[in-house]
Amino acid sequence: MRTALRIAALVAILAALIVAPQYLRNYGIYLLSLWSLFAIAAMGLNLTLGYAGQMSLAQAAFLGIGAYAVALLVKAGVPFWVGVPLATLVAFAVGLLLGFPALRVQHHYLAFATLGFNVLVYLAIRNEDWLTGGSMGIGQVMGFAGMPRPSIFGYSLRRGIDFYYLCLAMLCLSTLLVWLLLRSPWGRAFAALRDNPVRAESLAIDIRAYTLLAFAIGAGLAGFAGAFYAPLVQLFDPSPFGLLESLSLLLMVVVGGSGRFWGPHIGAALVLLLPHWLQALLPAWLGPPDQWYLFVFGIAVLVLLTWCPGGLLAIPDRLRARAQ
Amino acid sequence: MAPETSGAAVRLDGIVAGYGQITILNGLSFTAPAAKITTLIGANGAGKSTVFKTIFGIVRPRAGSVTIGGEAVTGFPARELLARGIVYVPQGRNLFPTLSVRHNLELGGITLGSRALIAQRMEAVFARFPRIAERAEQQASALSGGEQKQLEIGRALLLEPKVVLIDEPSIGLAPKVVADVFALLRGLADTGVTTLMVEQNVRSALAVSDHAVALEGGRVAIEGPAGEMLANPRIKSLFLGGHMEQTG
Ligand SMILES: Nc1ncnc2c1ncn2[C@@H]1O[C@H](COP(=O)(O)OP(=O)(O)OP(=O)(O)O)[C@@H](O)[C@H]1O
Ligand SMILES: [Mg+2]
């Protein structure tokens, strides 16, 4: 019964996501595309942080690695659909490397190690302008139109709405893959790593391998999202891949509910869309909205996380516990 | 258990082990006979848990050897030991509190490598522990202490072990539950599982055991049949005197 209800809710939401663009203007469609991709990247971070318990403040760097990798591959003549798996693989491999510090340090030390890594990636992209266009943006090396939108089976995805459906399909695909991973005993081992690493070890769960994999898979998902982010925005510079964006991805995971399957989807929606709604909803006498909405948004997040540190998806559990 | 698995005596020979510079076990030698229950006793900090950690490859001995069923397994990692049917239930809380009972069990079988085999073994564990079966979908942290211990033991049994190392199974449990746990271990030993147990509940532990080893100063102080230990005046004065024991 509960499963039936869940499936029904899921189908309804998916249907809404499919018809929504009919009622939206270009910017709304763009935001939904962005949401799809950020939800994928946040799902990766949720695996690393929420399930495996490994602190990471570098998720945006992997988004950037995916975006730049696919752009540079396409520029070199590689077809987009070959570039996507390659870009994912590059992010996966770099993520694996970032996992090594996590074998030695935890918690805030790990936060700083990954933070340092994000800064490093950011500076590398900015400074190597012969390759990346530096702070002038990818247009410097790819031409003023930037990263072209791909086509699929001969059908061009140049229109925003078509590209949105691609992003949504990729979100569904990633969600399915992560779900399959997490419901296998091997996927469950990630949570064992978080709950009780010493005990996990005495059950012969290879905590080294799982720690590295938690980073690598998390990074791979961000790289995959990045590979679609590039053709979505077409022109980009290193700024969306900095520390602030990593914090915003962290916020998506935490607000949605760290370690909860649908947390990233909900968190990404809230973090991306709420500021825009607030911008539209706040009364005019408060002054120019761009000065107020972030302030209100910040307070909303603060209240939520103080009242319910488990995130939005923990609220039903909390209410149930209170009722008893 | 299959007949070829009965015969896994655990032998420690001249074990020297400790943490960093500190030596805890200092030339420890004893044999836990196959298909019997051997109980290790000793004061707090005597090194009982360290013995298990050494057998299970978590603490590396500086000297000496561990032999199980005739095979030298000194310093083998957990994976190798589990593959040989040697399982370890450490002292304290051993579950993954946020995972469900079912998923906790499942992780005990991760070295089996096959989902079908894990599922089959889980059914056997559920059949043996109906209380655990009823609570399969609950979070492990929501189980009572006795149920948690049952789940830990069930998880160890998933590998159909031939050697079980169990550290203070009775801690925090009501006397009735302790009796159940001991009866369970007795039943396992009678089907051929070599069982090593550390217990503070000395009197009741010795009552279900076949063999006993008392540790002092990192060595064996006294060793012998469990029944005789209960009568040994040194054991009496060291471990059985005073407030620790109510049951008899
Ligand atoms: N990880 C560790 N690092 C350093 N010293 C340790 C460590 N674990 C145990 N010790 C020390 O080793 C000694 C033996 O510990 P052990 O846990 O084997 O004792 P025990 O006999 O099991 O005691 P208890 O009955 O309290 O469980 C103790 O003095 C303890 O402080
Ligand atoms: Mg101990």
Side-chain angles (χ1 to χ4, degrees), chain A residues 180 183-186 188-189 191-197 199-206 210, chain B residues 56 78-79 82 90-91 93-99 103 106-108 110-111 113 115 118 155:
Chain A
L180 286 174
R183 71 186 281 277
S184 74
W186 296 272
R188 225 94 70 189
L193 191 69
R194 169 198 66 196
D195 272 14
N196 201 338
R199 226 40 93 215
E201 205 162 21
S202 72
L203 295 176
I205 293 167
D206 187 339
Y210 275 97
Chain B
F56 212 68
R79 177 171 296 276
L82 293 175
Q91 190 172 358
R93 301 265 151 154
N94 290 309
L95 298 173
F96 304 111
T98 66
L99 294 183
H103 297 162
E106 202 174 63
L107 282 170
I110 200 158
T111 50
R115 271 166 105 152
I118 296 175
R155 188 168 68 186

Side-chain angles (χ1 to χ4, degrees), chain A residues 4 20-21 44 52 55 63 65 77 111 137 140 163 169 192 204 231 253 263 265 283-284 314:
Chain A
M55 190 61 196
L63 200 70
I65 288 172
Q140 287 294 303
F163 196 76
V253 170
H265 305 75

Side-chain angles (χ1 to χ4, degrees), chain B residues 67-93:
Chain B
T67 314
I68 297 180
E71 185 189 9
V73 295
T74 322
F76 275 28
R79 177 171 296 276
E80 294 291 320
L81 295 165
L82 293 175
R84 285 165 175 72
I86 300 149
V87 300
Y88 170 41
V89 182
Q91 190 172 358
R93 301 265 151 154

Side-chain angles (χ1 to χ4, degrees), chain A residues 252-267:
Chain A
M252 291 175 191
V253 170
V254 173
V255 161
S258 173
R260 288 176 185 267
F261 188 77
W262 299 107
H265 305 75
I266 292 181

Side-chain angles (χ1 to χ4, degrees), chain A residues 134-312:
Chain A
S135 49
M136 302 293 282
I138 197 79
Q140 287 294 303
V141 289
M142 287 195 92
F144 68 95
M147 171 79 190
R149 294 233 169 118
S151 45
I152 189 163
F153 307 123
Y155 183 79
S156 164
L157 302 172
R158 268 177 60 192
R159 289 194 314 152
I161 183 164
D162 296 328
F163 196 76
Y164 161 66
Y165 285 127
L166 177 70
C167 295
L168 185 62
M170 292 306 121
L171 174 60
C172 293
L173 177 73
S174 312
T175 304
L176 182 70
L177 289 178
V178 172
W179 184 75
L180 286 174
L181 171 71
L182 286 176
R183 71 186 281 277
S184 74
W186 296 272
R188 225 94 70 189
F190 288 115
L193 191 69
R194 169 198 66 196
D195 272 14
N196 201 338
V198 178
R199 226 40 93 215
E201 205 162 21
S202 72
L203 295 176
I205 293 167
D206 187 339
I207 58 173
R208 267 180 76 89
Y210 275 97
T211 305
L212 295 178
L213 269 180
F215 272 96
I217 299 175
L221 279 164
F224 181 73
F228 293 93
Y229 180 84
L232 172 67
V233 298
Q234 302 197 283
L235 286 169
F236 51 93
D237 61 14
S239 57
F241 313 123
L243 208 53
L244 260 178
E245 302 306 313
S246 279
L247 286 174
S248 144
L249 277 156
L250 178 65
L251 188 65
M252 291 175 191
V253 170
V254 173
V255 161
S258 173
R260 288 176 185 267
F261 188 77
W262 299 107
H265 305 75
I266 292 181
L270 203 83
V271 173
L272 281 177
L273 304 180
L274 194 66
H276 289 91
W277 287 334
L278 285 175
Q279 207 165 2
L281 289 177
L282 285 182
W285 54 263
L286 277 174
D290 53 332
Q291 287 171 20
W292 276 101
Y293 76 94
L294 270 181
F295 181 70
V296 175
F297 179 65
I299 290 180
V301 168
L302 201 70
V303 169
L304 170 75
L305 291 182
T306 310
W307 180 64
C308 194
L312 280 171

